[in-house]
Amino acid sequence: MFLNITSKEADDDQIDVLIDPYGMNVDVQNVPDKGNEANGLVENDEMYDAAVIMKKELESYGLRVEITKDSKDQVIETYGEDGRLSKGYKKQAKYYLFLRFNANPSSEANGMEIWHSSYSSATLARNMMYYMEKDKVVKAGSLYYTNPSWPGIVTTSLTQGRLDNETIYDLNLQLRESGGRATLAGRYSQTSAEANKSFKDANGMQGVELDFAYITNEEDAANWKKNKEKIVKSCAKAFALSINVLEG
């Protein structure tokens, strides 16, 4: 038996990771939503900056990465063939990272949370939180969690589908619609069925929502302002470690 070893360039039409920074969404209202604003921080602006930092860091590990928005102020829906998620589907992305801030009037609300679909394992989220806490740049949130042993790790809430009132779906539309057939994308509502019909039977992306901080908490906001780049780079490294691109 003889082995013929050849090299092949990566397909330019494929990516590994789709990063989706929250902001300027028009999914639930006609006016572009800049997200949460508190303590001198605007979610839209900060998350786009974070996406740019994260893209560069992940690319340094050899991953192929794209951001859903071309600029901080671009207005674009999540739904549809020209929406945010379609870029990931068209380029066969394997992972979807949804970047967010949190807000809550309670002084007890603080720390980072990582959300995952009810149709996916918590392993990726748990590993990422472990590595980020190990870097000592964030602490896991203590307000919301699915399992007391995993602070800051949250499974998305569930809801009945609007079309059949029977099937149970993730309420989080980004994690639901990014996962293809595995998370029942393109089925939840009439809008979902019409706009995302091509996602229905597609291979989806494994997604997590990364809520870096409660910007309504002064300590969280101050930590983000001082250590934004460190936090985002730590998150990128944690992701790369969690998917075995890097060795811990």
Side-chain angles (χ1 to χ4, degrees), residues 39-242:
N39 288 309
L41 296 171
V42 179
E43 186 174 11
N44 174 71
D45 300 354
E46 297 298 324
M47 291 303 97
Y48 188 77
D49 287 349
V52 172
I53 296 169
M54 184 175 286
K55 180 178 186 291
K56 184 176 180 180
E57 193 72 5
L58 290 177
E59 287 175 337
S60 75
Y61 301 138
L63 292 166
R64 298 164 296 174
V65 186
E66 288 199 10
I67 301 173
T68 56
K69 297 200 300 180
D70 296 326
S71 68
K72 175 174 68 70
D73 297 319
Q74 183 182 8
V75 178
I76 181 171
E77 292 184 75
T78 300
Y79 284 111
E81 292 300 314
D82 296 319
R84 294 171 185 252
L85 298 180
S86 63
K87 183 181 291 187
Y89 280 108
K90 289 173 181 176
K91 298 206 170 184
Q92 301 178 50
K94 302 174 184 68
Y95 296 96
Y96 169 73
L97 305 179
F98 183 39
L99 312 187
R100 289 222 61 175
F101 272 150
N102 239 324
N104 194 300
S106 171
S107 60
E108 297 180 3
N110 63 77
M112 181 170 183
E113 295 169 359
I114 304 181
W115 295 66
H116 68 95
S117 166
S118 59
Y119 288 93
S120 71
S121 166
T123 301
L124 176 59
R126 288 170 55 196
N127 287 345
M128 289 184 69
M129 186 69 81
Y130 167 78
Y131 288 120
M132 291 190 72
E133 285 201 293
K134 191 175 180 181
D135 276 351
K136 298 181 179 180
V137 293
V138 297
K139 61 180 180 180
S142 58
L143 186 63
Y144 295 109
Y145 48 80
T146 303
N147 185 321
S149 300
W150 309 334
I153 305 303
V154 193
T155 306
T156 59
S157 300
L158 295 171
T159 184
Q160 288 183 326
R162 294 183 179 179
L163 288 179
D164 60 16
N165 293 316
E166 293 180 3
T167 307
I168 304 301
Y169 297 85
D170 287 307
L171 186 59
N172 183 310
L173 76 88
Q174 280 82 10
L175 295 184
R176 181 185 70 239
E177 298 299 322
S178 64
R181 60 177 176 270
T183 57
L184 306 180
R187 293 172 169 86
Y188 169 66
S189 64
Q190 191 67 39
T191 300
S192 174
E194 292 176 357
N196 294 346
K197 59 185 177 182
S198 65
F199 306 165
K200 183 177 179 181
D201 297 310
N203 292 326
M205 299 160 267
Q206 182 175 357
V208 287
E209 177 180 320
L210 303 165
D211 294 358
F212 289 105
Y214 278 86
I215 58 171
T216 42
N217 180 282
E218 291 185 1
E219 185 177 333
D220 272 13
N223 182 48
W224 178 263
K225 289 176 182 177
K226 181 180 179 181
N227 298 306
K228 173 169 64 176
E229 188 165 345
K230 287 183 180 179
I231 293 170
V232 177
K233 286 185 175 181
S234 172
C235 188
K237 180 182 175 184
F239 173 74
L241 286 165
S242 298

